[in-house]
Amino acid sequence: DAKTTQPNSMESNEEEPVHLPCNHSTISGTDYIHWYRQLPSQGPEYVIHGLTSNVNNRMASLAIAEDRKSSTLILHRATLRDAAVYYCILRDTNRDDKIIFGKGTRLHILP
Amino acid sequence: EADIYQTPRYLVIGTGKKITLECSQTMGHDKMYWYQQDPGMELHLIHYSYGVNSTEKGDLSSESTVSRIRTEHFPLTLESARPSHTSQYLCASSEAMDNEKLFFGSGTQLSVL
């Protein structure tokens, strides 16, 4: 199964943009890229997903490299409430849909 | 937004007891999942279901069992709890359509003494 690689942790200042990278060099053509985040003491919540084109929603933007071997989650203006663990996962429901989470990136926001 | 509920939120129990962690969703989702997570660690998939009467083992071996008799209900049972079962258990669901997002419950924090 295709895997993702993310930095263990990142820091950012409040009210600045944050770029969270994810490498998925073995991604297949039918894998979607999903991002979730987990706030302290809560279950994960969906952030965004995409296949090839960049995606925007009210929470974030997803920039996908042209070769699809990497992607970047962009938080345009970080707040203290964005401090969480961010997970990048690949999902292909054409295969057995075991949704596997990696270790994610722990994002620290500095006031 | 998410209509998926887990009970109890916290459970402290003695070794050898039988326990059932409840998970219910009111969204009519066919797919449901159980994950186990230790503090500061990654989530591990232990069980999943594609629909009624469908259950599969996840990537992490678990002594727990699950059942899916009704679409909305996906309980997890430990026949004889041990301290090694102490962990957070998270339930999730999604629609059967391709790549539908997961909705997670708030989790059950289990402590076995």
Side-chain angles (χ1 to χ4, degrees):
Chain A
D1 287 338
K3 293 178 63 174
T4 63
T5 304
Q6 299 176 253
N8 289 332
S9 66
M10 291 182 63
E11 271 185 4
S12 179
N13 294 318
E14 196 177 9
E15 299 186 3
E16 290 187 357
V18 182
H19 291 236
L20 296 161
C22 181
N23 288 321
H24 27 79
S25 58
T26 59
I27 191 171
S28 74
T30 51
D31 281 330
Y32 280 75
I33 303 157
H34 285 241
W35 283 82
Y36 286 80
R37 73 178 185 181
Q38 187 173 21
L39 302 172
S41 302
Q42 295 187 27
E45 63 175 346
Y46 168 84
V47 178
I48 201 166
H49 79 277
L51 182 63
T52 56
S53 303
N54 295 342
V55 184
N56 299 295
N57 66 21
R58 63 176 180 82
M59 289 182 72
S61 296
L62 176 59
I64 301 172
E66 197 169 332
D67 63 5
R68 300 206 330 122
K69 293 183 185 298
S70 66
S71 61
T72 302
L73 179 71
I74 302 166
L75 306 178
H76 294 286
R77 189 166 166 272
T79 70
L80 295 177
R81 289 178 295 178
D82 291 321
V85 178
Y86 287 78
Y87 299 98
C88 166
I89 63 173
L90 301 180
R91 191 170 176 192
D92 180 2
T93 53
N94 292 320
R95 301 195 303 265
D96 188 6
D97 193 22
K98 295 193 295 184
I99 303 170
I100 307 299
F101 285 75
K103 295 182 179 179
T105 296
R106 184 172 296 277
L107 177 63
H108 301 273
I109 304 296
L110 305 175
Chain B
E1 179 186 333
D3 296 316
I4 180 165
Y5 307 101
Q6 289 186 245
T7 57
R9 184 77 175 88
Y10 301 95
L11 179 61
V12 181
I13 203 161
T15 297
K17 299 291 186 182
K18 177 180 178 179
I19 61 169
T20 297
L21 308 184
E22 302 288 348
C23 177
S24 295
Q25 48 95 6
T26 58
M27 298 172 282
H29 288 169
D30 285 321
K31 294 183 177 180
M32 295 189 75
Y33 310 82
W34 276 103
Y35 289 85
Q36 184 177 341
Q37 185 179 37
D38 292 327
M41 304 298 285
E42 61 198 280
L43 290 89
H44 291 285
L45 179 68
I46 53 175
H47 300 283
Y48 61 104
S49 166
Y50 290 146
V52 171
N53 294 325
S54 152
T55 60
E56 302 286 344
K57 294 281 190 182
D59 276 20
L60 180 68
S61 175
S62 174
E63 293 170 345
S64 59
T65 59
V66 292
S67 62
R68 191 86 184 276
I69 299 171
R70 303 198 314 266
T71 297
E72 62 271 22
H73 198 211
F74 191 41
L76 181 146
T77 298
L78 277 165
E79 290 292 333
S80 180
R82 295 205 302 271
S84 61
H85 296 139
T86 295
S87 189
Q88 178 167 238
Y89 294 83
L90 289 155
C91 180
S93 72
S94 73
E95 291 188 23
M97 292 172 61
D98 287 357
N99 292 291
E100 284 298 318
K101 59 186 178 183
L102 288 172
F103 292 91
F104 278 85
S106 297
T108 294
Q109 179 60 53
L110 173 65
S111 297
V112 184
L113 306 178

